[in-house]
Amino acid sequence: MTTLTDHQTTPATTPSLAVRVMRNAANFFSFILSPLLGPTFAIIIAWNSTVMLLLPTGTMRTLTLVVFGLTCLFPMVAIGIMYKMGIVSDPGLNSRRERTLPFAVSAAGYVACLVFLHHIHSPWWITMFMAGGLLALVIAALVNLRWKISIHLTAMGGLVAFVVRLITEHLAMVNGQSWLIATIVAAGLVGSSRLLLNRHTPMQVLAGSANGFLCVYLMMGITY
């Protein structure tokens, strides 16, 4: 026989399940769209939409792997070591006070990547994208000394700016608009995820987006 207790408890389980699903989705998008992967995503976009389409697959694969190694794998391993040593309490770096050293390690990876790109005489717009990313990271690190800013959205804002520049500078040969839509949707998913997980406030998300977009957009306006 159905009791009053059954009627009272059944509705309560549905929101709980929905919340768990939403939080799992938010964690998933935060992970696969990690800020450490921003430069790698940019190379993949360039590989599939610009004159880099004409380069040998082996050349582009090597470039992608080097960028991934310097700007993602290197800081990821360093942060993992910091976590094991107790220097940071969370590999996700959700504590503002624990972000300074990981930011410095990430910046070192960007510098090494810039040296590599200069050495191989990469297109100026790839190099300046990386310089813009480094500038955005430095600004985020300085802001972080007093106020937590979203580094996820800093990376996504920079990626959107990268695609905008590819289009406005007529560097995109194919799929420019498609990549722009994809990066904007991805930025929206990441921003929503960070808010849902209570990692940031709306202002921190907006500040991160503006920081990444402006730094990359302005730096890619410099030609040499």
Side-chain angles (χ1 to χ4, degrees):
M1 183 174 69
T2 303
T3 65
L4 179 61
T5 304
D6 293 327
H7 286 297
Q8 290 174 336
T9 56
T10 300
T13 60
T14 303
S16 177
L17 176 61
V19 168
R20 287 201 301 272
V21 170
M22 291 178 66
R23 289 185 67 86
N24 287 338
N27 280 314
F28 173 75
F29 287 121
S30 294
F31 178 75
I32 65 168
L33 297 172
S34 165
L36 295 178
L37 288 170
T40 304
F41 288 144
I43 297 298
I44 292 172
I45 291 171
W47 187 356
N48 288 277
S49 63
T50 71
V51 69
M52 288 185 163
L53 277 166
L54 306 177
L55 293 177
T57 300
T59 299
M60 286 307 303
R61 186 179 293 125
T62 299
L63 175 60
T64 304
L65 288 174
V66 171
V67 170
F68 171 78
L70 292 174
T71 61
C72 181
L73 190 59
F74 166 62
M76 184 171 64
V77 170
I79 291 169
I81 293 172
M82 292 180 204
Y83 176 66
K84 291 294 185 181
M85 295 176 64
I87 297 174
V88 298
S89 59
D90 177 12
L93 305 178
N94 292 306
S95 173
R96 178 181 64 83
R97 298 180 183 276
E98 296 177 353
R99 288 173 143 200
T100 302
L101 184 56
F103 278 3
V105 171
S106 294
Y110 270 84
V111 171
C113 192
L114 279 168
V115 171
F116 169 74
L117 292 174
H118 177 73
H119 178 73
I120 65 171
H121 305 289
S122 73
W124 63 267
W125 43 274
I126 288 287
T127 303
M128 296 314 294
F129 161 75
M130 208 64 63
L134 176 60
L135 177 61
L137 180 60
V138 170
I139 291 175
L142 293 175
V143 171
N144 186 75
L145 295 175
R146 303 298 297 271
W147 186 65
K148 189 178 180 182
I149 188 171
S150 176
I151 196 66
H152 271 81
L153 271 297
T154 294
M156 293 309 302
L159 201 58
V160 172
F162 176 70
V163 178
V164 169
R165 275 294 187 187
L166 292 186
I167 295 172
T168 58
E169 299 293 332
H170 306 291
L171 297 167
M173 299 171 60
V174 294
N175 299 328
Q177 286 74 22
S178 298
W179 282 113
L180 181 59
I181 293 170
T183 53
I184 291 174
V185 170
L189 287 172
V190 173
S192 299
S193 297
R194 304 312 285 170
L195 293 174
L196 180 63
L197 295 170
N198 294 318
R199 302 304 190 199
H200 294 289
T201 65
M203 188 56 66
Q204 290 167 350
V205 165
L206 289 173
S209 301
N211 176 37
F213 186 91
L214 290 174
C215 286
V216 170
Y217 187 82
L218 293 175
M219 289 300 287
M220 286 185 69
I222 301 173
T223 59
Y224 62 88

